[in-house]
Amino acid sequence: MSSVPSRTFGLDLPEYPWEAMAPYAKLAAEHPDGAVNLSIGTPVDPTPAVIREALAAAADAPGYPTTHGTPALREAIAAWYARRRNVPGLDPQNIMPTVGSKELVAWLPLLLGLGEGDVVVRPTVAYPTYDMGALLAGATPVAADNLEELDDDVRARVRLVWVNSPGNPTGIVRSAASLRTLVDAARNIGAVVASDECYAELGWDEWDPSRGGQPVPSILDPAVSGGSHELLLSVYSLSKQSNVAGYRAAFVAGDAAILANLVNSRKHAGMIVPAPVQAAMIAALSDDVHVADQKDLYRARRELLIPALQAFGLDIRHSEAGLYLWATAGEDTWTTIERLARLGIVAGPGVIYGDAGAGFVRIALTGSDERVAAAAGRLSAAAP
């Protein structure tokens, strides 16, 4: 027997937060008409044919793909930013595809060289992976929506600021003026601002251009950036707008020096988007029709769920964009989760998005028309 002392291997990270939902999912599954899972924002509608056909046409891919992405893909992304995000003249050299956006969120602090003593700021109610990315790098995550909220000693150590607009889970959209204030404050201390914008095409009401509203601003919009992409990164995913979550198709664009370093680091690490997926991304980014059609489906589901949730006693807060309704019944989160589970409805617990999410639940629009209608019917029938 070896005399070498035993050693524990593996990362010391918190348990994946969604594991806490297991008993409530089991309870919902007991409903005689089956469960309606509106907890996870995973697309359920078919991937558009134009994308699947592009993927199939590129399936003969015996060689290694490029980490930086093909020139054709980067040009398609630049054209999309100009057409859909009011970001003209984006240099394709300063763009890189990623294996979904979650992996970039999780690894960006490490890839930026952050470590012990550095601070990563994320929104007060936020996607848990922002914190995990900081922890993986050995940095310290701090919750704040503006740098002015931080003590001087903490603010001096900030190296990365995450913005999520439209926000998950709240659906909050930050105006161009609000983003510009944050960008200016971050630049004053030499911090990078990384903006997770993956719900930008899913604005509602005042943020719905197809209904007379204005587009959701990008961090790279000249009104926000001041015409320079220095210290700015825009992160985007096609999962939601094009129903390609299974493809892991996303990208990052912005600061030229940072992008060049990211490309080099990822070459060493083997973080590469498969060639057929890169071809499919070009097709997805070049076709706006399927995006509008999918948004119409989500709009109809949203308009069905809102009054049903309100009748059940839930107050909808924010939710001006994105795939979720952020709601509270003025009670403990888990009490609401259980009451919904008894109706066969699985929702997301607000507490996993930070302390500020206590008392809230997140309702996803990502159910089929039939399942969303079933949920609405159950909610209305159970109304007090």
Side-chain angles (χ1 to χ4, degrees):
M1 181 178 290
S2 172
S3 61
V4 177
S6 62
R7 173 185 168 190
T8 300
F9 291 93
L11 298 173
D12 184 19
L13 296 176
E15 182 180 32
Y16 191 60
W18 284 98
E19 299 299 330
M21 282 299 300
Y24 301 99
K26 182 179 179 181
L27 176 61
E30 297 172 0
H31 191 279
D33 189 33
V36 180
N37 192 339
L38 302 180
S39 64
I40 305 292
T42 185
V44 298
D45 300 304
T47 301
V50 65
I51 301 173
R52 288 185 280 119
E53 289 165 2
L55 183 79
D60 184 12
Y64 288 111
T66 61
T67 300
H68 198 182
T70 64
L73 172 57
R74 288 183 278 117
E75 289 166 5
I77 293 170
W80 175 84
Y81 267 106
R83 188 175 73 251
R84 304 297 301 177
R85 305 308 317 281
N86 193 37
V87 181
L90 180 59
D91 187 343
Q93 190 69 15
N94 302 332
I95 296 170
M96 178 184 65
T98 64
V99 190
S101 59
K102 184 173 183 176
E103 67 93 348
L104 184 72
V105 171
W107 294 111
L108 184 61
L110 180 66
L111 293 171
L112 291 177
L114 274 56
E116 185 176 356
D118 294 326
V119 169
V120 175
V121 175
R122 54 84 166 170
T124 52
V125 183
Y127 185 46
T129 308
Y130 302 129
D131 281 353
M132 292 303 103
L135 295 176
L136 286 168
T140 302
V142 172
D145 293 316
N146 295 287
L147 296 182
E148 292 76 11
E149 301 172 23
L150 304 176
D151 294 337
D152 290 345
D153 61 328
V154 174
R155 186 165 54 248
R157 294 187 291 118
V158 174
R159 299 293 306 285
L160 172 62
V161 181
W162 277 107
V163 178
N164 183 207
S165 176
N168 171 19
T170 62
I172 292 174
V173 176
R174 296 187 66 148
S175 68
S178 169
L179 290 172
R180 180 62 188 266
T181 298
L182 180 62
V183 165
D184 289 345
R187 282 174 167 164
N188 284 338
I189 58 173
V192 174
V193 180
S195 180
D196 183 351
E197 303 175 351
C198 70
Y199 299 98
E201 290 273 20
L202 293 168
W204 312 113
D205 303 322
E206 66 175 300
W207 299 108
D208 187 352
S210 66
R211 295 294 186 274
Q214 58 183 309
V216 172
S218 170
I219 204 78
L220 302 183
D221 186 318
V224 176
S225 69
S228 167
H229 296 166
E230 182 182 7
L231 295 178
L232 303 181
L233 295 174
S234 168
V235 180
Y236 203 81
S237 169
L238 300 182
S239 294
K240 315 302 184 184
Q241 70 184 48
S242 296
N243 297 336
V244 290
Y247 286 42
R248 311 314 300 132
F251 47 87
V252 57
D255 185 293
I258 294 175
L259 259 296
N261 186 270
L262 289 177
V263 170
N264 182 60
S265 297
R266 293 168 70 90
K267 285 178 179 178
H268 286 290
M271 297 177 177
I272 312 173
V273 176
V277 174
Q278 293 192 36
M281 290 173 70
I282 295 172
L285 289 160
S286 302
D287 177 67
D288 297 334
V289 174
H290 79 274
V291 178
D293 290 345
Q294 185 60 46
K295 184 173 181 177
D296 286 342
L297 291 176
Y298 286 134
R299 183 186 290 104
R301 293 164 187 167
R302 183 176 184 271
E303 291 174 353
L304 188 62
L305 279 172
I306 286 176
L309 290 166
Q310 290 172 330
F312 185 66
L314 291 178
D315 180 20
I316 309 296
R317 304 280 180 87
H318 303 300
S319 308
E320 53 259 39
L323 286 180
Y324 312 107
L325 296 171
W326 186 237
T328 180
E331 61 192 8
D332 179 76
T333 287
W334 296 108
T335 300
T336 308
I337 289 290
E338 181 175 354
R339 290 201 296 125
L340 290 168
R342 293 190 181 283
L343 296 180
I345 299 170
V346 186
V351 290
I352 74 172
Y353 300 99
D355 294 342
F360 286 83
V361 295
R362 190 192 76 171
I363 310 293
L365 307 179
T366 50
S368 67
D369 288 348
E370 184 275 330
R371 286 289 81 188
V372 168
R378 296 175 196 179
L379 290 163
S380 297

